[in-house]
Structures are given as structure tokens and as C-alpha cells.
Amino acid sequence: MLGNFSYHNPTKLYFGDESLGFLKDELDKYGKNVLLVYGGGSIQKNGIYDEVISILRDCGKNVAEVPGVMPNPTVEKLYEGLRIAREHQTDFILAVGGGSVCDYAKAVSVSIHCDDDPWQKYYVRFEEPTCEIVPVGCVLTMAGTGSEMNAGSVITNHDAKLKIGHVFGDNVMPKFSILNPKYTMTLPKYQMIAGIYDIMNHICEQYFSGEDDNTSDYISEGLMRSLIHASRIAVQDPQNYEARSNIMWTATWALNTLVSRGKSTDWMVHMLGQAVGAYTDATHGMTLAAVSLPYYRYIMPYGLQKFARFAAEVWGISAADKTTEELAEAGLSAMEAWMQELGLVMKTSELGVTEDMIEGIADATLILDGGYRVLNRDEIVQILKASM
Amino acid sequence: MLGNFSYHNPTKLYFGDESLGFLKDELDKYGKNVLLVYGGGSIQKNGIYDEVISILRDCGKNVAEVPGVMPNPTVEKLYEGLRIAREHQTDFILAVGGGSVCDYAKAVSVSIHCDDDPWQKYYVRFEEPTCEIVPVGCVLTMAGTGSEMNAGSVITNHDAKLKIGHVFGDNVMPKFSILNPKYTMTLPKYQMIAGIYDIMNHICEQYFSGEDDNTSDYISEGLMRSLIHASRIAVQDPQNYEARSNIMWTATWALNTLVSRGKSTDWMVHMLGQAVGAYTDATHGMTLAAVSLPYYRYIMPYGLQKFARFAAEVWGISAADKTTEELAEAGLSAMEAWMQELGLVMKTSELGVTEDMIEGIADATLILDGGYRVLNRDEIVQILKASM
């Protein structure tokens, strides 16, 4: 059932290899003090930094920078950004990077004018902002997280061994995002395939839940089929602009709330993966890949019809001469084979997880109740062991 | 190829049987002088009018009414609404009805402060508004047109025998729309199935165009499959709330620009159908149904691969032992059979078209160039004759 819900995604998206041309018109709508946040330095190497700085200059902006936003942005990095932003009197935040940088920008945006400790307020107590929110825009350089068109923000606290996501309200969504597929094409293959799996799993987290057969499920199936098709081309030919475009566009629509309308949503693969990430600092998409099949094989009996439908509709597997269980299993095997085709990490041991970490990772795994089965701690430990 | 494009849909959607509960909070954001526009009187019979008036009163609004907005809103009705709105000093327009009423509200919104004749400026010269635009909100009572989340507005000029649509900018999209599937369930079956076909054809107008295989095509296939599934249930059981919900949600996503990203788009079935509508005043969805198969069968050879894909992916037809042509034909036959299942009008003669009208209807048919084949006037006449 679709049930009762609202949908509001005011982010303006500019897509394509000419999209940066719209940055000036957008920036002109916002304040003079722009906080430029970005990652490790790849944007200096590929020229995007220079182009953006030049546009900021043309707009007459007073720019302060927060470089070095790491792939799993930390609470310390958040505090550093807030010190810079408060001194600078930032009135607009421009994120240039991947999902981590966009997430980070949103965390800064709700915290600049916040009197409380933002980690405690937003990521421990899950309260909503009551202070002024500084607007955010994104120039996206990596496809995967959907952060460019959603209100999510994930921050890692290494001391507490916690990696926590908060989904804010639509006033925290970026005002605009610039999506140039060419920017995603300068990244290493490891990041490309990790992003691809993040997209697939976002859709699965919403699809494999609740009572089925609503429009969201059908849209999800379309997005998954598009992704499988485009990813197979991209893995052979990462410079194929059309394939990379479709991956980038699918990433946005996989996690902007559209396909969760009417779905209870699962998110346990992300809970398990984020906990692994808190312990290993591994790439997000790889942590998901490493835990997915043990998780899905475990819950499959509790959502059997949907896994059978997944096999038929997403992987094109014929139901002929198969029991429902066999069809469902064939679907998960097809996904596994595709994951291996992509070259994903399929074992948490390869990400640095050791047996002695498992109890701690299980403690760090939030238990959610939207999926086909609510796990208990023993089952989480079992799945983590099977993921090694 | 997705190419270069922007996407911006700021409309806030409230969906479900509790959605009217959000009308007050929304109205409180806008001005005091609310122009209430609606159709023929069904909203008085089903109680929606009373509920809305009561909410407007609670908000302390000064309400003027434009009742009687007909299914193909006319230019005379537009002028009448403008006289009322200007005297009233309308600062917000609330449309309560189906797509026609929403379209009409948008036409009023760009015309109240417009010095030019709006028919000439917007529907003949296709210029964009330069005047102040009055905000619009919708309470939707019929599913089909997508008008609740787009910037389109169709107005009919019976004297000129023209029915013309203008797609405005995103500042003309409704600020919010309230989508309660229950409201759609009080309508006669004729309107329900006409709306269902309008949805299907919206998707086809975008899908059957351009170079293929992008994400938009996969999303379209998902929407079409959802619609076919839900419509079969709804035709047997119009009171099935889940089926009617999915139809209503699919209608919004079929025509809010998402699935036209990267597509040249066709729209000739709508051009032919609107021309038939200008002559007969027939229900929009039925005019489309009556011309569709002759049109698609005519252009099929020029987009053969896509029609074959349509057969396989949307209708589940096996390609085994079929040539590409046979598969493509089987897909159109499957759509035809579904249209007959629904009970659609399949001949323009049943809508009042007579042989002597055909030349005039052909003159009224705008020729567009986004589809697989650009028609000439002779071909239009041929298709209109085949539609009789």
C-alpha cells in the first residue's frame, strides 16, 4: 500500500557535460561568504578546483576553504569546519566532491548556528535543527550516495566507533546540484564500482521491505535494470560517457525518497556496513558488498515472494521448473555473479575485519525494524561471521 | 544519451486519505485572497467542497469562486476567471478538481497581472510570463493529467478550433498538491479509464522517441508495468484503494518531466487527440485512445527496436520464434487488448468525428519533430481516417 506520505524535493539539478555553466547563476542567488568544502586533492589534479575558484571569483565571492574532507567524514572534521565557518561568517556552503563532501556540507549547514554539540544533538539524540540553516550547493564528482538530492548526512566518530546517518528535513537538501558525468570518469575503478554497488543497495534497502506491489517497487525495478545494464558497459569501458551518465542519474533517483514512498524500508545492510566502516574506515560501497549476501540469504525466507520477483523482474530469470525458493535463490546468485563481475570486495576480512572485532561491530550495528525480519544480536553476529 | 538538461520540481505533494489535513498549514503560508476554482459540481455532491470551504474559513481567507471550469477549459472561461480574480485581488489560487481545473488555475496564475491577451501571448505566440505570477495549490480529484506536479496548461479556443498546451517554467508549478486517492473513487468509470489511458500515453509519448536505452526508458517501463497491473484490478474493482492509489501516484510521475530527461519526446498522439478534442469536445483520454493504434502502427517501422523492447519489457511477450517485426506487432496488439479490457473508445467516429471534419482536424494538428518519424499532412489525414 502506498499509504499516507509527503514528497518534497526542491533541489534543482543541472545534468551533463555543460552543467558547470549554471554555477554562476545559482551562486548569484546566495550570499557573499562562500565556504568551499572538498576532499583529498583530486579536484586540483583534474582541474575542477580551478574552474570552481574562477567562477567564485567572477561572482565576487569571499571564499574560505575546508579541504581534506575524508571519505568517512569525522566529527573532528566537522568541528574544524565549524570554526572556519563561524569566523568567516559563511552564508553559503559549496561542496565539490562526492557523497562524503555533500554529507559533510549538510552537517556543517545545520551546525554553524547551533548552540549545542552537533554530534550529540543530531547524531546521538537525532533531534532536528532549531537554528538557522545555511544553504548548500553541490558540484558532484562521484556517483553513488544520492547525497546531492537528499537530506541525509553521515558522520563518523572513531573514538566511539560509531558511523551514524541522520536524515534531516527538506530544508537541508542542497538548493542545487551540478551533475557532470565527466567528473566521475577521472576516479579510480575501485571508487566507481563501490559507488555502483552503493546505488544498487540503496534501491534494495527500500525494495526489500513491507507489503509489496506498489508503484515504488516497479520504479525500483526499472532503476536496478538500468544500473545493471549501464554498469556492465562501464566496467568494460569506464570512459563510456553514456553509461556513466546513466549510472550518475540512477544514483540520484535511488536515494531521494521517491522509491521509499509506501515502503517501510530495511537499511540493515547499511547498518552492518556502517559498523564495519566505523572499525575499518573502509570504502562505504565495499562494506555493503561484503555483508550483503550473507544478510539477504538469511532473510530471504521471510520475504520469499519478493526475492522471487526480484529474480524474475530484475535478473530476467525464468520461473519455469523452479520452486519459489529456487527462483529466489537464483536471483541472489545472479546478483552475486554481477558483484563478482564488477570486482567488488565480497569478504569483510579483505577490508581489515578480524574475528576479535566482531563483537564490537555487532555492538555498533543499529537494529532497525523495517525489513522482512527484525534481527537479534546473535543473528547479527552470525551474519558478520558469515561475511568474513 | 541523457545529454544536458535540468530538473526542478519544487511542488510539495501530500498523498493519501489523510492528505487534506495538510491544506491549512499550506494555506497559512500564502495570501488572504484565495480564488477557489472548480468544475461542474461533483465536489459539492461528494463533500469535498464543504471540507475545503471550512478549511478556508478556518484560515481566515477571503474567498472568491470560479465554478464551472469545464473539462476542456476555454479561453472565454479564462477571461471570466481573470475578471473575478482582478476584482478580488487574488493572491492565491486553489484548484479543486482534475487536470482541467489545475491547468486552468495555472493559466489564470500567469494572466492576472499580464497586460497582453493571454491566449495570444501564451497559447499562440508561446511566450513566457514576464508579469507577476500568482501562486497555485491543487486538491486533485481525478488521476491522469499530471497537472498537479507540472507546469503545463491546456486551453481550448472553440471559435478557432484550437486546443493548445503551453509548458511554462517551474515557477508556474503548483506550490503544493494534495492527492487523496479516495477523491478519485467517486468518479464515473468512463473518467477513470480515460485517465488511465492518458497516463499510459503520457509515458509512451516520452518513451517512443530518440536514441534509446537510457535510465528514463527503464523508469518509464516500470511506471507502465505498475499502471497495467493496477488498472486491471481497478477495472474489476474500482473501490480497490490500493490500486487507485498506485494509479494516482503513477499519473503524477508520468508527466512531471522525470521520464523525459534525455528523450526528444513525440507528443503526436496528443496533437492528434487535441485536434479531435477541439472539434468534438470529447474526453481527452478517449481522444488519445481513438487515434493511438493507427498512429503507432504507422510509425512502428521507424522505431522498430523500441517497439520490440516495449513488447518484451512492458507486456512480457517472449521473443522466441518471432522476427523483430512480429515481436513489435505483438506488443501493440497487447496494448490494444488491454485498451479493450479497460473499455476505452477505440474509434473517433464514436466521439463524434465525421468524414467532413477530417481536413479541419488535420489543419488543427500541430506537427512536431521529436518522434521516430515526422509526419506530413497527408500522413496525418491517413491516420485520422484509419482512426474513424
Side-chain angles (χ1 to χ4, degrees):
Chain A
M1 190 92 104
L2 283 175
N4 279 281
F5 62 83
S6 66
Y7 176 91
H8 189 217
N9 270 49
T11 305
K12 184 160 186 177
L13 302 176
Y14 295 95
F15 190 94
D17 61 0
E18 298 168 5
S19 55
L20 194 69
F22 295 96
L23 179 58
K24 182 179 187 315
D25 285 344
E26 282 295 335
L27 287 171
D28 284 344
K29 301 175 189 170
Y30 301 99
K32 196 177 159 72
N33 295 339
V34 176
L35 189 76
L36 179 67
V37 307
Y38 55 97
S42 54
I43 63 166
Q44 268 103 344
K45 289 197 217 93
N46 58 28
I48 297 169
Y49 174 86
D50 290 338
E51 288 193 73
V52 170
I53 284 287
S54 169
I55 293 166
L56 287 165
R57 193 169 296 137
D58 286 349
C59 293
K61 299 301 187 188
N62 168 30
V63 180
E65 298 190 19
V66 183
V69 177
M70 61 287 280
N72 294 310
T74 64
V75 61
E76 290 81 13
K77 193 67 183 175
L78 174 58
Y79 295 145
E80 176 195 333
L82 294 178
R83 284 191 294 275
I84 295 169
R86 285 167 178 158
E87 191 182 325
H88 174 244
Q89 295 187 288
T90 294
D91 42 34
F92 189 80
I93 304 166
L94 184 65
V96 180
S100 303
V101 178
C102 296
D103 272 23
Y104 175 83
K106 284 178 254 176
V108 171
S109 82
V110 297
S111 304
I112 291 175
H113 299 285
C114 175
D115 295 329
D116 281 304
D117 169 10
W119 168 260
Q120 290 295 329
K121 182 178 173 76
Y122 298 133
Y123 296 93
V124 175
R125 301 199 304 269
F126 292 100
E127 288 169 11
E128 294 310 317
T130 43
C131 62
E132 179 190 336
I133 296 165
V134 176
V136 171
C138 298
V139 176
L140 194 66
T141 62
M142 247 189 287
T145 69
S147 188
E148 64 277 14
M149 199 192 194
N150 69 33
S153 174
V154 180
I155 295 291
T156 299
N157 185 326
H158 285 298
D159 290 345
K161 296 259 187 283
L162 290 171
K163 180 175 168 176
I164 304 291
H166 183 142
V167 178
F168 293 93
D170 33 279
N171 53 359
V172 178
M173 286 181 179
K175 300 305 176 197
F176 65 85
S177 288
I178 286 169
L179 277 51
N180 181 343
K182 290 211 156 136
Y183 295 166
T184 71
M185 288 159 70
T186 58
L187 290 160
K189 186 176 175 184
Y190 191 85
Q191 263 70 43
M192 177 183 80
I193 60 177
I196 287 168
Y197 191 70
D198 198 14
I199 301 164
M200 174 62 92
N201 189 249
H202 285 158
I203 303 167
C204 288
E205 299 274 36
Q206 297 163 92
Y207 179 76
F208 287 120
S209 76
E211 285 155 21
D212 300 321
D213 249 22
N214 65 25
T215 301
S216 297
D217 288 320
Y218 286 93
I219 297 172
S220 287
E221 287 167 346
L223 291 173
M224 288 190 279
R225 288 163 59 232
S226 181
L227 180 68
I228 291 162
H229 174 82
S231 65
R232 286 181 161 143
I233 296 168
V235 161
Q236 296 306 318
D237 179 14
Q239 298 307 308
N240 184 301
Y241 178 77
E242 185 169 350
R244 301 300 293 271
S245 297
N246 284 300
I247 290 168
M248 191 173 208
W249 190 235
T250 299
T252 302
W253 288 89
L255 197 56
N256 71 353
T257 80
L258 174 61
V259 299
S260 65
R261 303 303 84 193
K263 304 294 299 178
S264 50
T265 76
D266 184 340
W267 292 108
M268 280 310 297
V269 169
H270 271 66
M271 295 303 102
L272 289 157
Q274 274 169 205
V276 167
Y279 271 75
T280 60
D281 208 28
T283 299
H284 174 60
M286 297 306 187
T287 68
L288 306 177
V291 302
S292 282
L293 285 152
Y295 175 72
Y296 287 127
R297 288 186 165 124
Y298 188 78
I299 63 154
M300 192 186 85
Y302 305 97
L304 195 65
Q305 292 302 329
K306 197 58 171 287
F307 283 96
R309 175 176 163 166
F310 178 63
E313 302 299 331
V314 175
W315 299 99
I317 297 169
S318 165
D321 306 319
K322 291 186 184 71
T323 63
T324 310
E325 283 80 0
E326 286 168 343
L327 182 58
E329 279 164 3
L332 288 180
S333 295
M335 183 163 77
E336 183 175 40
W338 169 73
M339 292 166 77
Q340 288 160 342
E341 265 181 73
L342 293 186
L344 292 164
V345 172
M346 308 289 280
K347 293 181 184 180
T348 54
S349 51
E350 290 176 22
L351 299 175
V353 170
T354 51
E355 283 273 354
D356 58 296
M357 288 181 186
I358 287 190
E359 293 292 327
I361 294 172
D363 288 336
T365 303
L366 254 69
I367 295 177
L368 303 173
D369 64 4
Y372 291 128
R373 174 163 177 82
V374 183
L375 301 179
N376 62 41
R377 198 184 179 286
D378 284 347
E379 290 167 318
I380 287 173
V381 170
Q382 193 182 318
I383 288 164
L384 287 169
K385 286 183 173 170
S387 302
M388 288 284 288
Chain B
M1 189 92 107
L2 282 175
N4 279 282
F5 61 84
S6 66
Y7 176 91
H8 189 216
N9 269 49
T11 306
K12 184 161 186 175
L13 304 174
Y14 296 95
F15 190 96
D17 61 0
E18 296 168 8
S19 55
L20 195 69
F22 295 96
L23 179 59
K24 183 179 187 317
D25 286 345
E26 283 295 334
L27 286 171
D28 284 343
K29 300 175 188 172
Y30 301 99
K32 197 177 159 71
N33 295 339
V34 176
L35 189 75
L36 178 67
V37 306
Y38 56 97
S42 56
I43 64 166
Q44 268 102 342
K45 290 196 216 89
N46 59 27
I48 297 170
Y49 174 85
D50 292 338
E51 287 193 74
V52 170
I53 284 288
S54 169
I55 292 165
L56 286 165
R57 192 168 297 136
D58 286 349
C59 292
K61 301 300 188 190
N62 169 30
V63 180
E65 299 190 18
V66 183
V69 176
M70 60 289 279
N72 294 310
T74 63
V75 61
E76 289 81 13
K77 193 67 182 177
L78 173 60
Y79 295 145
E80 176 194 333
L82 293 177
R83 283 190 295 275
I84 295 170
R86 286 165 178 159
E87 191 181 325
H88 174 243
Q89 296 188 284
T90 293
D91 44 35
F92 188 81
I93 304 165
L94 184 65
V96 181
S100 302
V101 179
C102 297
D103 273 22
Y104 175 83
K106 284 179 256 178
V108 171
S109 82
V110 297
S111 304
I112 291 175
H113 298 287
C114 176
D115 295 327
D116 281 305
D117 169 10
W119 168 260
Q120 290 296 326
K121 181 178 174 76
Y122 299 133
Y123 296 93
V124 175
R125 302 197 304 268
F126 292 99
E127 290 169 10
E128 295 310 315
T130 44
C131 62
E132 179 190 335
I133 297 166
V134 175
V136 171
C138 297
V139 177
L140 193 67
T141 63
M142 245 188 289
T145 67
S147 188
E148 64 277 15
M149 200 190 192
N150 69 33
S153 175
V154 179
I155 296 290
T156 299
N157 185 327
H158 284 297
D159 291 344
K161 295 257 187 286
L162 290 171
K163 181 174 168 175
I164 304 292
H166 183 144
V167 179
F168 293 93
D170 33 279
N171 53 358
V172 178
M173 287 181 178
K175 300 303 174 199
F176 66 85
S177 287
I178 286 169
L179 277 50
N180 182 343
K182 290 212 156 134
Y183 295 165
T184 70
M185 287 159 73
T186 59
L187 291 158
K189 185 175 178 184
Y190 190 86
Q191 263 68 43
M192 176 182 82
I193 60 177
I196 287 167
Y197 191 70
D198 198 16
I199 301 166
M200 174 62 91
N201 189 249
H202 286 158
I203 304 168
C204 288
E205 298 276 35
Q206 297 164 90
Y207 179 77
F208 287 120
S209 75
E211 285 155 23
D212 299 323
D213 249 24
N214 66 25
T215 300
S216 297
D217 289 319
Y218 286 92
I219 298 172
S220 285
E221 287 166 347
L223 291 173
M224 288 191 279
R225 287 163 59 233
S226 180
L227 181 68
I228 292 161
H229 174 82
S231 65
R232 286 182 161 142
I233 296 168
V235 161
Q236 295 306 317
D237 178 14
Q239 298 307 310
N240 185 302
Y241 178 77
E242 186 170 349
R244 300 301 293 270
S245 297
N246 284 300
I247 291 168
M248 191 174 208
W249 191 233
T250 300
T252 302
W253 287 89
L255 198 55
N256 71 353
T257 79
L258 174 62
V259 299
S260 65
R261 302 304 83 194
K263 302 296 297 176
S264 50
T265 75
D266 183 341
W267 292 109
M268 280 310 298
V269 169
H270 271 67
M271 295 303 101
L272 289 156
Q274 275 169 206
V276 167
Y279 271 73
T280 60
D281 207 28
T283 300
H284 174 61
M286 297 305 187
T287 67
L288 306 177
V291 303
S292 282
L293 286 153
Y295 175 72
Y296 287 127
R297 286 186 165 127
Y298 187 78
I299 63 153
M300 192 185 85
Y302 305 96
L304 195 65
Q305 292 302 328
K306 198 57 171 288
F307 283 96
R309 176 176 164 166
F310 179 63
E313 302 299 332
V314 175
W315 299 99
I317 296 169
S318 165
D321 305 319
K322 291 186 184 70
T323 63
T324 309
E325 282 81 1
E326 287 166 343
L327 182 58
E329 278 162 4
L332 288 180
S333 295
M335 184 163 76
E336 182 175 42
W338 169 74
M339 292 166 75
Q340 287 159 343
E341 267 181 71
L342 293 185
L344 293 164
V345 172
M346 307 289 281
K347 294 180 183 181
T348 55
S349 51
E350 291 176 20
L351 298 175
V353 170
T354 50
E355 284 275 355
D356 59 297
M357 288 181 187
I358 286 190
E359 293 293 325
I361 294 172
D363 287 336
T365 302
L366 254 69
I367 295 177
L368 304 174
D369 65 3
Y372 292 128
R373 174 164 177 80
V374 183
L375 301 179
N376 61 42
R377 198 184 178 286
D378 284 348
E379 291 167 318
I380 287 173
V381 169
Q382 190 183 319
I383 289 164
L384 287 168
K385 285 182 173 171
S387 302
M388 288 283 292

